[in-house]
């Protein structure tokens, strides 16, 4: 039976289960559609520092160098879930703890805090058997936009979990700074800002005295590039970016979001590797039971309502798809106006995320009037080099993927 743990608890994991070697740690939460929340793990040594940039596992770096920690995203409706699979025997011996965190992307800039997050929890399972071990319900927060959820740590060869949850302001860059990771943030102004100093209490390191070891000499800065936390924005038609190379590209999430008073509709026109064509939209929301395994969650903005509108499409796996074009139109109860719409007057944008850490934004920028706007294309014609391309093409007729 799954054990429920409370804040401040310290739980033995492997001491009572000597055969436990693989963990699946599932972090889940609910939040407004306008929130972009990310989970991360910092692999730290006895001094509380990450030995290198690859020791931070998150959307931009989904697998640790030693292959012991792997990050993935799960496709769920109305809830966000990220999973960290951990192979304990593969963890580099100098790593003494894995610190689990949540941050709100641009939380400071957008004045967003975890007060709007709900039903957040952590579930520990035996990845080899599927047995659920621990459940930790995180409770509520107020002014924080950065959370340290807890630590998986090694003491005398046994792995334990400490639910030493705490929050503050500062964002992912502040966490990186604390753990000794050099950060290069992409900012619209082009100016760089240092991450604020951060103090995180670590009761784990106070539990037993640790014999100091000779200091680790860091590599010269010229031998590595600072880690990038910025997410890729394709501003201009024709721009594209390759998706991260992986054996599988799964759980591709496509979100159309906007706040102005307009009823945008998300459409996906696809072609499979076997030559099948199809169309997913509010009248045919698809599903995960049959090919092409694409599903739309809901119809938002009905009645031209303003606010945090979003429609979400999930592509279960990319391997069977040749290409998908993401398009929108503006629903009018009495039909289209004769000359169509200027889509750039609205603040619509498409976000594309994959379970391998890709995080790409394509804003609606075309000022040409028309009835349809093809926003972007997910191009998997070359399965060895799948891409997301900014299209932003406005036209009067319904899109046909065969025309691209």
């Amino acid at each position: 039976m799954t054990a429920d743990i409370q804040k401040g608890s310290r739980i033995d994991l492997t001491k009572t289960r000597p055969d436990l070697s693989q963990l699946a740690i599932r972090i889940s939460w609910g939040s407004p559609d306008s929130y972009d929340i990310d989970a991360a793990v910092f692999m730290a040594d006895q001094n509380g520092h990450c030995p290198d940039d690859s020791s931070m596992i998150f959307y931009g770096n989904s697998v640790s160098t030693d292959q012991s920690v792997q990050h993935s995203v799960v496709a769920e409706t109305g809830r966000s879930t990220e999973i960290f699979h951990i192979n304990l025997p593969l963890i580099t011996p100098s790593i003494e703890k894995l610190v689990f965190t949540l941050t709100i992307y641009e939380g400071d800039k957008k004045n967003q805090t975890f007060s709007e997050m709900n039903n957040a929890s952590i579930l520990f399972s035996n990845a080899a058997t599927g047995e659920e071990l621990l459940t930790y319900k995180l409770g509520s927060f107020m002014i924080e936009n950065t959370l340290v959820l807890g630590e998986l740590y090694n003491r005398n060869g046994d792995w334990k979990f400490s639910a030493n949850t705490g929050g503050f302001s500062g964002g992912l860059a502040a966490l990186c700074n604390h753990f000794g990771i050099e950060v290069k943030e992409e900012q619209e102004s082009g100016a760089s800002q240092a991450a604020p100093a951060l103090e995180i209490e670590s009761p784990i390191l106070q539990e037993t005295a640790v014999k100091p070891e000779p200091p680790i000499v860091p590599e010269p800065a010229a031998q590595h590039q600072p880690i990038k936390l910025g997410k890729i924005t394709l501003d201009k038609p024709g721009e594209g970016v390759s998706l991260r190379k992986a054996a599988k590209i799964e759980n591709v999430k496509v979100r159309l979001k906007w706040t102005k008073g307009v009823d945008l509709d998300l459409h996906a026109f696809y072609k499979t590797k076997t030559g099948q064509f199809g169309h997913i939209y509010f009248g045919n929301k698809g599903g995960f039971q049959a090919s092409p395994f694409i599903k739309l969650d809901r119809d938002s903005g009905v009645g031209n309502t303003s606010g945090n509108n979003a429609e979400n499409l999930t592509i279960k796996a990319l391997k069977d798809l040749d290409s998908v074009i993401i398009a929108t139109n503006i629903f009018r109860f009495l039909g289209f106006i004769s000359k169509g719409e200027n889509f750039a007057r609205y603040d619509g944008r498409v976000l594309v995320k994959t379970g391998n850490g890709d995080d790409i934004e394509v804003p609606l920028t075309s000022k040409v009037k028309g009835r349809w706007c093809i926003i972007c294309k997910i191009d998997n014609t070359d399965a060895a080099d799948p891409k997301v391309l900014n299209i932003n093409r406005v036209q009067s007729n319904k899109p046909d993927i065969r025309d691209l």
Side-chain angles (χ1 to χ4, degrees):
M1 187 175 72
T2 307
D4 291 329
I5 62 175
Q6 305 296 320
K7 181 178 178 180
S9 300
R10 291 188 178 128
I11 307 295
D12 285 313
L13 288 169
T14 58
K15 189 173 184 178
T16 55
R17 300 179 181 85
D19 295 333
L20 180 63
S21 63
Q22 298 183 53
L23 288 171
I25 299 179
R26 183 186 185 100
I27 305 174
S28 300
W29 63 88
S31 63
D33 286 326
S34 61
Y35 277 53
D36 188 354
I37 298 176
D38 299 302
V41 165
F42 292 85
M43 305 177 70
D45 59 24
Q46 67 170 15
N47 299 312
H49 291 150
C50 294
D52 52 46
D53 294 349
S54 64
S55 301
M56 172 189 173
I57 315 304
F58 71 124
Y59 63 82
N61 178 41
S62 59
V63 183
S64 63
T65 301
D66 59 14
Q67 305 294 306
S68 66
V69 182
Q70 299 187 27
H71 168 268
S72 61
V73 179
V74 177
E76 292 184 329
T77 299
R79 193 165 173 79
S80 297
T81 298
E82 300 187 19
I83 297 180
F84 294 94
H85 285 92
I86 299 173
N87 192 323
L88 296 173
L90 293 183
I91 297 176
T92 302
S94 62
I95 297 299
E96 292 200 354
K97 63 179 179 178
L98 309 184
V99 183
F100 296 85
T101 68
L102 281 179
T103 53
I104 303 174
Y105 182 62
E106 295 188 335
D108 285 330
K109 179 180 177 181
K110 298 175 182 177
N111 196 30
Q112 295 175 341
T113 70
F114 280 110
S115 62
E116 297 297 320
M117 183 174 70
N118 58 79
N119 298 320
S121 65
I122 306 176
L123 174 65
F124 283 71
S125 299
N126 184 331
T129 65
E131 177 191 4
E132 296 182 355
L133 307 174
L134 305 173
T135 298
Y136 176 31
K137 296 180 180 179
L138 296 175
S140 59
F141 302 91
M142 296 181 66
I143 61 173
E144 305 89 342
N145 61 28
T146 306
L147 296 177
V148 173
L149 306 180
E151 300 175 347
L152 181 67
Y153 66 102
N154 190 319
R155 279 294 175 272
N156 301 318
D158 290 319
W159 287 94
K160 306 178 181 183
F161 178 70
S162 172
N164 58 335
T165 303
F168 51 90
S169 297
L172 189 54
L175 281 172
C176 290
N177 180 268
H178 172 78
F179 288 106
I181 293 177
E182 187 179 358
V183 174
K184 179 181 179 181
E185 286 197 277
E186 297 175 0
Q187 300 179 15
E188 292 181 0
S189 65
S192 60
Q193 296 179 353
L198 173 65
E199 294 184 1
I200 301 177
E201 293 185 2
S202 184
I204 300 308
L205 295 182
Q206 299 169 5
E207 190 176 46
T208 59
V210 178
K211 182 180 179 179
E213 295 183 357
I216 298 173
V217 179
E219 295 180 0
Q223 294 184 13
H224 71 280
Q225 293 295 322
I227 195 165
K228 293 184 178 181
L229 301 183
K231 306 186 182 186
I232 296 172
T233 299
L234 303 178
D235 290 308
K236 300 177 182 179
E239 290 183 336
V241 61
S242 294
L243 298 179
R244 294 178 185 274
K245 305 300 184 292
K248 296 180 181 179
I249 298 179
E250 299 179 322
N251 297 319
V252 181
K253 293 187 175 182
V254 180
R255 170 178 287 184
L256 173 65
K257 59 186 295 186
W258 71 98
T259 64
K260 295 191 176 180
V262 63
D263 186 358
L264 296 177
D265 288 316
L266 177 60
H267 296 257
F269 299 85
Y270 65 84
K271 177 186 177 183
T272 67
K273 292 292 186 183
T274 59
Q276 175 189 0
F277 294 88
H279 178 198
I280 305 296
Y281 69 113
F282 62 85
N284 173 30
K285 294 183 178 179
F288 297 139
Q289 291 74 38
S291 179
F293 306 102
I294 303 176
K295 184 178 180 180
L296 177 70
D297 65 345
R298 62 179 179 271
D299 185 10
S300 190
V302 177
N304 299 330
T305 56
S306 60
N308 294 320
N309 294 306
E311 297 185 12
N312 301 283
L313 185 88
T314 300
I315 303 171
K316 193 68 174 176
L318 207 57
K319 64 182 179 67
D320 295 329
L321 289 164
D322 185 77
S323 53
V324 181
I325 58 174
I326 305 301
T328 189
N329 61 12
I330 298 173
F331 182 82
R332 301 294 190 195
F333 183 73
L334 297 177
F336 293 107
I337 60 175
S338 59
K339 293 184 179 181
E341 291 277 3
N342 174 356
F343 287 90
R345 66 182 293 192
Y346 305 107
D347 60 345
R349 57 199 56 239
V350 164
L351 309 176
V352 180
K353 286 189 175 185
T354 73
N356 298 319
D358 301 286
D359 204 335
I360 302 159
E361 179 176 297
V362 185
L364 281 164
T365 57
S366 178
K367 296 180 180 179
V368 176
K369 288 187 176 182
R371 297 182 176 181
W372 289 87
C373 180
I374 301 174
I375 305 169
C376 62
K377 179 180 183 179
I378 301 174
D379 187 349
N380 193 40
T381 52
D382 179 0
D385 188 25
K387 299 180 176 67
V388 174
L389 305 171
N390 181 332
I391 304 294
N392 261 287
R393 189 173 85 191
V394 174
Q395 58 192 53
S396 58
N397 59 303
K398 180 180 176 180
D400 190 324
I401 197 168
R402 284 163 279 208
D403 295 335
L404 292 179

